[in-house]
Amino acid sequence: MSLEKLKLSKRLHASMNELGYFNAKEFQVKTLSRIIGGHSIIGIAPEGAGKTTSYVLGVLMRLKYTHDEAPKVLILAPNEERITAIVDQFIQISKNKDLYIMGLKASGSIEEEIEALVRGVDIVVATPNRARAVYLKLGLNLNRIQTFIIDDAEEIIKQGMQTPVRELAQSCGKVQYLAFSTVEHQKLHVMIDDFMSLATTIEVEDLGNTAMETHDLMLYQVPNFTTKINLLNLLMRDEEVFDKVLVFVNSKQTAHKLSQSLYAKKGEVQVLNPLFYDEEGITDVNIFKQMPNCRILIVAHEGASAVDITGIPFIFNFEVPENKDLFVQYSIKTTDEDVIAITFATDIELPELRKIEQTIGKKIATMPLPEDLVIFRPSTGPKEKVKIDESRGGSFHKKKESNSKTYNYGGGQKAKMTMKKKKG
């Protein structure tokens, strides 16, 4: 789409052209007019969709250049690297010498930063923790903030900085709120709903032009590690269907823990190259294939070489791999064999999963959780069976009608369907 679609000022349009931007991205077209109009939005889009450029342009279009002691824009970012990148992008695009922008860095002197803030600044970029620390020392005046921006919200959540985000937002009063993330999930809404309940959500998917040929991929979104164990145990009850299963985890420690947590008959579960010498385990996946009484092999990516998955009908990614290439490696279809690859992911793992979807060029189908799954709730103490909360966003929100399913793959139903097709 042409850059003309964004209806930028002549100065900003010329600046974008000088930087090599001649086309507008879909996310920018959908969000920029709302940002300029002062609307609060939740922007959901993958890396490279133009989220940062959207709010940089929006802020520059709205900003009135007056030398005030108090900042007009506060941008929260997860780390110093992002802070530097955001400041640099504002300077490159603005080319306005009257723009006063400052990044607060955790490694700097807080007294020097307060002195600089008192001299006057238009835009402040900081981590939530640093911004809160400066605010509590009365060095960051939030009384004149017009726009409050959360950049890389998923990373801020991953680092556990939700509380300072909420405290700073509630100290700003009535302002424009902008939150940007690669995924929308329950933890995001827990962080922002108190002050962004009326915000408009704008979501854009960019999966590339070429889809890889993969095995049948499925996703279960679960709230935590313990519920993953419960779900795997529930599915593994169907011994007839799940007769040979590879379960990938990230570390040998997790492999050990999982092997101790599965309810299985003696000898049914093995660990490939186990962490402890006295643990049930084997050293070669081909041995597992020849063991009639063993149906579950747990494989840790940590320190492991490539595993030959031929002849194994089910692969479980119990954790989203830290290296997306590992996921792709075991997902690409290289033979005519029917393989089903099932992934368990928590909210924190979803951003990495979205990167994988970009790489393979397709969405992974999200399966409804089995009705008899025990969902672990840490706040309630012991495990209890509860109904899935579909009231608001996240892993458990009601699916859009276009994405809704009339079937349930829980307990191996999909696998049974596949098996029947083979026999037919």
Side-chain angles (χ1 to χ4, degrees), residues 200-255:
T200 300
T201 300
I202 299 174
E203 185 170 3
V204 169
E205 293 179 354
D206 182 7
L207 297 174
N209 298 321
T210 306
M212 296 182 180
E213 186 178 4
T214 64
H215 301 306
D216 198 350
L217 305 179
M218 305 178 194
L219 168 67
Y220 284 105
Q221 292 180 226
V222 292
N224 48 51
F225 184 88
T226 302
T227 304
K228 285 186 179 184
I229 295 176
N230 294 346
L231 179 56
L232 188 59
N233 271 314
L234 181 61
L235 296 176
M236 290 304 102
R237 288 180 190 173
D238 196 333
E239 299 178 16
E240 181 183 349
V241 171
F242 295 109
D243 56 344
K244 281 292 178 183
V245 174
L246 277 183
V247 181
F248 285 107
V249 297
N250 286 335
S251 70
K252 290 189 175 183
Q253 185 68 46
T254 302

Side-chain angles (χ1 to χ4, degrees), residues 310-334:
T310 56
I312 300 175
F314 297 98
I315 298 171
F316 281 80
N317 292 297
F318 187 80
E319 300 175 293
V320 177
E322 296 168 356
N323 180 353
K324 67 180 181 181
D325 291 338
L326 290 172
F327 187 103
V328 174
Q329 175 183 344
Y330 296 116
S331 299
I332 297 299
K333 193 174 181 65
T334 57

Side-chain angles (χ1 to χ4, degrees), residues 205 363 366 397 399-407:
E205 293 179 354
K363 294 284 290 182
T366 301
H397 67 94
K399 301 294 184 293
K400 298 175 182 176
E401 187 174 346
S402 59
N403 294 331
S404 64
K405 311 289 190 239
T406 56
Y407 46 77

Side-chain angles (χ1 to χ4, degrees), residues 58-107:
V59 166
L60 293 175
M61 288 284 286
R62 295 191 73 206
L63 195 63
K64 306 298 181 185
Y65 297 96
T66 58
H67 193 63
D68 293 334
E69 294 181 359
K72 305 178 190 71
V73 180
L74 175 62
I75 303 171
L76 301 180
N79 51 54
E80 293 195 6
E81 182 180 358
R82 278 299 299 154
I83 291 170
T84 300
I86 292 166
V87 172
D88 288 347
Q89 192 159 359
F90 265 103
I91 293 173
Q92 288 176 356
I93 294 177
S94 172
K95 297 187 182 301
N96 190 321
K97 295 180 179 179
D98 292 328
L99 175 68
Y100 292 88
I101 182 169
M102 181 178 179
L104 307 183
K105 299 185 178 180
S107 57

Side-chain angles (χ1 to χ4, degrees), residues 342-362:
I342 302 172
T343 301
F344 297 171
T346 62
D347 285 353
I348 298 300
E349 293 173 298
L350 287 179
E352 293 304 315
L353 198 65
R354 294 296 173 258
K355 294 177 184 177
I356 289 169
E357 289 177 332
Q358 280 186 279
T359 300
I360 64 177
K362 64 173 70 173

Side-chain angles (χ1 to χ4, degrees), residues 72-349:
K72 305 178 190 71
V73 180
L74 175 62
I75 303 171
L76 301 180
N79 51 54
E80 293 195 6
E81 182 180 358
R82 278 299 299 154
I83 291 170
T84 300
I86 292 166
V87 172
D88 288 347
Q89 192 159 359
F90 265 103
I91 293 173
Q92 288 176 356
I93 294 177
S94 172
K95 297 187 182 301
N96 190 321
K97 295 180 179 179
D98 292 328
L99 175 68
Y100 292 88
I101 182 169
M102 181 178 179
L104 307 183
K105 299 185 178 180
S107 57
S109 165
I110 197 167
E111 287 77 16
E112 291 179 2
E113 288 179 341
I114 290 174
E115 289 179 8
L117 287 168
V118 170
R119 288 195 293 269
V121 61
D122 296 307
I123 303 169
V124 173
V125 190
T127 65
N129 289 341
R130 186 65 165 188
R132 180 179 180 273
V134 176
Y135 172 71
L136 292 177
K137 285 184 172 289
L138 305 180
L140 179 60
N141 186 345
L142 300 179
N143 292 333
R144 298 189 183 179
I145 293 293
Q146 299 168 4
T147 305
F148 184 102
I149 301 172
I150 307 170
D151 181 276
D152 275 359
E154 71 276 9
E155 188 62 29
I156 287 175
I157 292 168
K158 188 175 181 179
Q159 295 183 29
M161 294 188 286
Q162 299 96 312
T163 298
V165 170
R166 287 193 294 266
E167 291 178 354
L168 290 165
Q170 290 162 358
S171 300
C172 286
K174 189 176 181 180
V175 301
Q176 177 189 32
Y177 293 105
L178 307 175
F180 298 92
S181 178
T182 58
V183 291
E184 181 182 13
H185 51 55
Q186 191 179 41
K187 285 186 172 63
L188 173 64
H189 283 286
V190 168
M191 180 174 73
I192 67 175
D193 273 2
D194 284 348
F195 55 92
M196 293 190 69
S197 59
L198 300 178
T200 300
T201 300
I202 299 174
E203 185 170 3
V204 169
E205 293 179 354
D206 182 7
L207 297 174
N209 298 321
T210 306
M212 296 182 180
E213 186 178 4
T214 64
H215 301 306
D216 198 350
L217 305 179
M218 305 178 194
L219 168 67
Y220 284 105
Q221 292 180 226
V222 292
N224 48 51
F225 184 88
T226 302
T227 304
K228 285 186 179 184
I229 295 176
N230 294 346
L231 179 56
L232 188 59
N233 271 314
L234 181 61
L235 296 176
M236 290 304 102
R237 288 180 190 173
D238 196 333
E239 299 178 16
E240 181 183 349
V241 171
F242 295 109
D243 56 344
K244 281 292 178 183
V245 174
L246 277 183
V247 181
F248 285 107
V249 297
N250 286 335
S251 70
K252 290 189 175 183
Q253 185 68 46
T254 302
H256 171 74
K257 182 175 181 179
L258 184 58
S259 69
Q260 303 300 308
S261 303
L262 291 179
Y263 303 128
K265 300 172 186 175
K266 185 174 177 60
E268 279 192 333
V269 179
Q270 296 284 341
V271 177
L272 185 67
N273 299 317
L275 181 62
F276 302 106
Y277 72 92
D278 57 347
E279 186 178 353
E280 285 282 341
I282 56 177
T283 57
D284 191 332
V285 69
N286 290 312
I287 298 175
F288 166 67
K289 295 176 184 179
Q290 303 303 318
M291 297 172 68
N293 295 327
C294 180
R295 64 191 184 94
I296 304 170
L297 179 63
I298 303 173
V299 181
H301 290 304
E302 178 186 4
S305 54
V307 175
D308 179 11
I309 66 172
T310 56
I312 300 175
F314 297 98
I315 298 171
F316 281 80
N317 292 297
F318 187 80
E319 300 175 293
V320 177
E322 296 168 356
N323 180 353
K324 67 180 181 181
D325 291 338
L326 290 172
F327 187 103
V328 174
Q329 175 183 344
Y330 296 116
S331 299
I332 297 299
K333 193 174 181 65
T334 57
T335 67
D336 292 333
E337 293 181 349
D338 288 323
V339 178
I340 298 176
I342 302 172
T343 301
F344 297 171
T346 62
D347 285 353
I348 298 300
E349 293 173 298

